[in-house]
Amino acid sequence: MVAALVSLPLTLAPVIAHAAAEGPVFVDGEAQPVFDPADVVRESLYVRAPVDSDRDGKPDEVYTEVVRPKATDRGLKVPVVYMNSPYFSGGNDVANHDVDVELYVPDGRGHYDRRDGTALTAQADERIAAAVGPNAGPITSARYEGYFIARGFAVVYAESLGTGKSTGCPTSGGRNETIGAKSVVDWLNGRATARDATTSAPVKAAWTTGKTAMMGVSYNGTLPNAVASTGVRGLEAIVPIAAISSWYDYYRADGAVVAPGTYQGEDLDVLAEYVYTRADQEICKPVIAGIAAEQDRVTGDYSAFWDERNYVKDADKVRAAVLAVHGLNDWNVKGKNVVQWYEALRRNGVEHKIWWHQSGHTDPDTLRSVEWRRTLNRWFSHYLYGVANGVEREPKATIQREDKTWVDEADWPAPGTSEASLRPTAGGASKGGLSTRPLTGKPVVEGLRDDASILAETLVDAAASPNRLSYATRPTTTSLRLSGTPKVDLSVSFDRPAANVTALLVDRFPDGTSKIVTRGWTDPQNRSRPDRTKAVEPGERYRIEVGFEPKDYVFAAGHSLEFVVLSSDHDYTLRPQPGAGLFVDLGRTTLDLPVVGGQAALRRAVG
């Protein structure tokens, strides 16, 4: 095998690209396209998983398709790029939950969940509203398959349990789904069995080295996180793009029921129903009903159910090198999911790199294809083929700036970042101030009334409103860069026993237009911890921390930084009837920002 790892100077690359090689070729640390991507062996099989999630008394089976260079029939052994998905067989029309409901009150006067008629629509890049079910068509990935095959990698696809031709049940991030996806890695390494999809004859993966990488976008990128968190041997690298690291932080925020962007009312049970495309449409109904009950849209509390779907807690088990990618404007899978995963991996000494781009929920191949594929190639060449290309010593962070240029930095958050603080000053019903100096004099308490029918963007741009409080710095004299996770420490009381709390960070442009840079939400009933609801006593003042979604953002010189408090966020939170009152003690409220240059840089910018 070592003899097949040929490394040649860059000047020979055009010749090599057209050579008929029986082994991979590397130039400047990158695998070259020396195989014919049409000269392949295709296999369809079922991998046995050691779980019985559909409770039929038989082990679940994962439907798997293999595409490998024909040279593997002549003795070549290659590593694998593995893509697992619940979407290969389409999806079902499913009603989302009704979000126009009253909030839970611990004495039992809470709401009961119900459905409305809003269908779950197709999701960009992933949820394909095509044929549904196990006969939906062949599995393929036109974007990457030919690229990897040509460079000496096999490509393996597998359908998540309960979807398409796989048996078992879909559980939206549950243990069985992880085990099903992991079983394919085990099969590639000789630790699991498989049978031919047509003849049922045993199938072994004798053609592979066993070294495997997983990659994908959104749910397809979440599964690599899940499998890596098991510590499975043979999974050498993962590329989670726009991926979830904790399903609680996809559908909840510190006790608040919060939607992924543009999918108001979606929850774990809705997603499980959406991907439930196996032929037997009855066997998994009890399992999905259990999800609907255990996800708890009433209190929003963290629980053992959500802990099962939290991969961050198992970051110490990860063996795979992680190249994480996320959009700075992704409000579907929000930034917290990549940041908490990335930080946990770094703490545990896992090889890591992050790409941040300025788009939303998308693959960077659509944004910067040449450089992205070069990075991906080098990552897989190093971690799957052992090529000493130095990728592990390169800058850890690649960031697309607001002007769409790209920069490499040592790591993320940006070096030199530290916490800096601002404090609100009176006038929030129209526009109060934000100062680097503490508020002095008599206590100032300002209030707002909830009205979930009003969009946050409308409230931000209102000259005055009883439904929000708004505070702004003077226009900045220099640019100011945030890099990390902002938070606000609120001192707040309520006139009702239940209310949403939403915080916004806004960039106000010199022409008066605005952009919501980041948001944060919390349930004051979970003020002490996300897994415990404690009653709110009207009139009592509480210290409540609201964490914003992480950001890397530059406020240009001449812009103002604004901080806005409201109650319900129409596009994200549950939407109770209007009227709840929130009362903020300004003197005891602090906005903490991760600023490059820290407090000194903040003072220079805003005084």
Side-chain angles (χ1 to χ4, degrees):
M1 184 61 195
V2 174
L5 300 178
V6 180
S7 203
L8 296 174
L10 188 59
T11 55
L12 295 182
V15 176
I16 294 302
H18 298 287
E22 283 292 305
V25 174
F26 299 88
V27 175
D28 290 346
E30 297 178 42
Q32 299 300 301
V34 296
F35 295 89
D36 180 354
D39 188 20
V40 295
V41 176
R42 294 184 182 270
E43 299 173 285
S44 299
L45 52 108
Y46 289 94
V47 174
R48 183 173 177 171
V51 63
D52 179 16
S53 61
D54 56 14
R55 306 166 190 170
D56 66 351
K58 297 180 291 187
D60 294 342
E61 288 189 312
V62 181
Y63 179 68
T64 305
E65 293 187 2
V66 174
V67 187
R68 53 186 172 89
K70 192 68 176 290
T72 57
D73 274 353
R74 298 186 290 272
L76 177 67
K77 291 183 182 291
V78 298
V80 172
V81 178
Y82 166 34
M83 303 177 195
N84 188 287
S85 176
Y87 297 138
F88 286 138
S89 288
N92 305 298
D93 283 335
V94 187
N96 286 356
H97 292 274
D98 183 8
V99 297
D100 294 313
V101 296
E102 293 306 309
L103 302 178
Y104 171 73
V105 176
D107 64 5
R109 294 174 293 170
H111 73 272
Y112 291 92
D113 197 37
R114 57 190 188 275
R115 298 293 184 94
D116 66 6
T118 306
L120 184 66
T121 55
Q123 184 159 224
D125 293 328
E126 296 266 4
R127 298 183 192 174
I128 304 170
V132 175
N135 297 311
I139 295 174
T140 186
S141 175
R143 184 181 297 280
Y144 289 113
E145 182 182 294
Y147 180 86
F148 287 125
I149 293 293
R151 288 161 175 78
F153 300 89
V155 177
V156 170
Y157 306 101
E159 295 196 286
S160 294
L161 295 182
T163 74
K165 296 179 182 177
S166 293
T167 63
C169 293
T171 54
S172 301
R175 175 177 173 272
N176 65 297
E177 181 178 74
T178 300
I179 291 173
K182 170 182 174 291
S183 296
V184 175
V185 179
D186 285 331
W187 173 70
L188 291 166
N189 284 274
R191 299 187 297 266
T193 60
R195 63 180 179 88
D196 184 270
T198 302
T199 68
S200 290
V203 181
K204 293 186 177 181
W207 46 266
T208 180
T209 64
K211 291 184 179 295
T212 303
M214 292 184 72
M215 66 176 294
V217 182
S218 192
Y219 204 148
N220 299 358
T222 300
L223 289 162
N225 285 343
V227 176
S229 75
T230 69
V232 61
R233 292 184 180 275
L235 184 62
E236 305 295 333
I238 64 171
V239 182
I241 303 168
I244 295 166
S245 61
S246 169
W247 286 84
Y248 184 83
D249 296 313
Y250 185 58
Y251 288 120
R252 305 288 184 270
D254 290 330
V257 175
V258 171
T262 74
Y263 294 100
Q264 252 293 27
E266 186 185 306
D267 215 322
L268 272 168
D269 62 327
V270 174
L271 187 55
E273 287 187 54
Y274 178 82
V275 303
Y276 180 27
T277 53
R278 60 174 286 186
D280 186 338
Q281 284 286 291
E282 295 297 322
I283 195 169
C284 293
K285 285 184 177 178
V287 174
I288 295 175
I291 293 173
E294 290 189 71
Q295 67 191 5
D296 182 12
R297 287 181 66 85
V298 177
T299 71
D301 288 356
Y302 189 82
S303 63
F305 172 85
W306 291 107
D307 200 58
E308 178 185 331
R309 293 162 171 81
N310 179 4
Y311 314 125
V312 180
K313 72 180 190 304
D314 294 320
D316 61 331
K317 299 176 184 176
V318 175
R319 302 173 184 272
V322 182
L323 169 57
V325 183
H326 220 88
L328 287 162
N329 294 294
D330 188 347
W331 288 101
N332 182 335
V333 179
K334 304 174 191 74
K336 181 177 182 179
N337 270 281
V338 68
V339 168
Q340 63 189 356
W341 182 234
Y342 188 75
E343 291 177 344
L345 295 169
R346 182 167 50 202
R347 285 195 303 272
N348 284 283
V350 177
E351 291 285 351
H352 58 277
K353 181 175 175 63
I354 192 167
W355 267 48
W356 285 108
H357 58 76
Q358 287 292 330
S359 294
H361 198 63
T362 193
D363 190 323
D365 197 51
T366 66
L367 306 171
R368 196 191 189 200
S369 183
V370 173
E371 185 60 30
W372 166 243
R373 292 193 177 201
R374 178 175 180 270
T375 299
L376 198 59
N377 187 325
R378 289 168 60 77
W379 199 258
F380 289 168
S381 293
H382 178 70
Y383 290 107
L384 297 187
Y385 268 119
V387 175
N389 57 18
V391 70
E392 76 280 13
R393 298 188 300 275
E394 292 175 356
K396 301 297 185 185
T398 296
I399 305 170
Q400 186 182 30
R401 295 263 44 105
E402 289 79 2
D403 63 1
K404 303 304 172 68
T405 59
W406 295 82
V407 296
D408 291 325
E409 296 185 339
D411 209 338
W412 195 89
T417 300
S418 61
E419 188 175 283
S421 298
L422 289 167
R423 295 171 179 82
T425 61
S430 51
K431 191 81 70 181
L434 272 179
S435 174
T436 56
R437 299 175 181 82
L439 186 65
T440 58
K442 294 181 179 180
V444 177
V445 176
E446 298 190 331
L448 66 95
R449 290 283 168 191
D450 186 24
D451 190 339
S453 69
I454 307 174
L455 294 174
E457 289 79 2
T458 300
L459 292 171
V460 164
D461 285 336
S465 173
N467 306 119
R468 59 93 178 115
L469 297 172
S470 182
Y471 306 93
T473 67
R474 70 178 193 179
T476 56
T477 57
T478 62
S479 63
L480 185 72
R481 180 180 173 188
L482 306 187
S483 184
T485 304
K487 63 183 176 68
V488 60
D489 184 10
L490 287 170
S491 178
V492 59
S493 61
F494 307 87
D495 66 2
R496 295 187 184 180
N500 291 310
V501 177
T502 299
L504 310 174
L505 201 59
V506 176
D507 184 352
R508 182 69 62 181
F509 291 65
D511 64 2
T513 58
S514 65
K515 176 183 178 180
I516 296 177
V517 175
T518 185
R519 295 163 129 103
W521 312 268
T522 195
D523 180 352
Q525 294 176 2
N526 291 85
R527 59 195 174 276
S528 299
R529 43 196 283 185
D531 64 342
R532 184 169 300 173
T533 289
K534 294 173 63 177
V536 167
E537 294 296 330
E540 184 172 337
R541 184 156 287 122
Y542 299 99
R543 299 200 72 83
I544 295 176
E545 182 178 294
V546 183
F548 293 89
E549 287 300 316
K551 289 293 163 183
D552 198 291
Y553 188 84
V554 175
F555 289 84
H559 291 220
S560 294
L561 186 156
E562 295 187 9
F563 162 58
V564 179
V565 183
L566 50 148
S567 183
S568 299
D569 189 345
H570 181 275
D571 288 337
Y572 291 92
T573 66
L574 298 180
R575 302 191 294 234
Q577 289 294 311
L582 281 66
F583 307 92
V584 179
D585 183 340
L586 303 188
R588 299 183 179 183
T589 292
T590 305
L591 179 64
D592 295 318
L593 306 173
V595 174
V596 176
Q599 192 72 28
L602 184 62
R603 286 198 187 99
R604 283 195 300 272
V606 302

